[in-house]
Amino acid sequence: MATMTVTVDRAGRVVIPKDARDRLQLGPDAELDLAVEGDSIRLTPVRRAGRTFHLVDGFPRIDTVAGITTTDADVRAWRDADQR
């Protein structure tokens, strides 16, 4: 990808161009790690291990991820959010 010039606004914000967001699959509320390296700034997308699911006998089964726990309350909240 070619170098792009962006501007810092008065609040210190920078808009990441759409082409770069699309290429890196950055959506709203995406988290980025910021590192200052000499006189440069490096932004790296934070990629957390996500949960995947698949159907077993027509029912969704959420695969396990080390360090992440799903409770009945989590499932209820997801269900209720989908019903709105």
Side-chain angles (χ1 to χ4, degrees), residues 12-26:
R13 296 175 293 215
V14 173
V15 174
I16 300 171
K18 183 173 183 345
D19 289 345
R21 292 192 320 266
D22 289 348
R23 182 175 175 188
L24 296 171
Q25 299 176 342
L26 298 176

Side-chain angles (χ1 to χ4, degrees), residues 58-78:
F59 294 97
R61 176 166 180 238
I62 301 171
D63 295 329
T64 59
V65 174
I68 298 177
T69 303
T70 300
T71 65
D72 289 342
D74 294 328
V75 174
R76 275 192 295 277
W78 296 331

Side-chain angles (χ1 to χ4, degrees), residues 5-77:
T5 301
V6 296
T7 304
V8 178
D9 72 7
R10 291 181 189 183
R13 296 175 293 215
V14 173
V15 174
I16 300 171
K18 183 173 183 345
D19 289 345
R21 292 192 320 266
D22 289 348
R23 182 175 175 188
L24 296 171
Q25 299 176 342
L26 298 176
D29 300 322
E31 293 182 340
L32 304 170
D33 281 334
L34 184 144
V36 176
E37 300 173 354
D39 63 350
S40 297
I41 296 172
R42 177 183 299 267
L43 294 174
T44 306
V46 174
R47 306 285 189 204
R48 291 188 171 44
R51 289 198 151 188
T52 57
F53 74 93
H54 57 277
L55 296 178
V56 176
D57 296 327
F59 294 97
R61 176 166 180 238
I62 301 171
D63 295 329
T64 59
V65 174
I68 298 177
T69 303
T70 300
T71 65
D72 289 342
D74 294 328
V75 174
R76 275 192 295 277

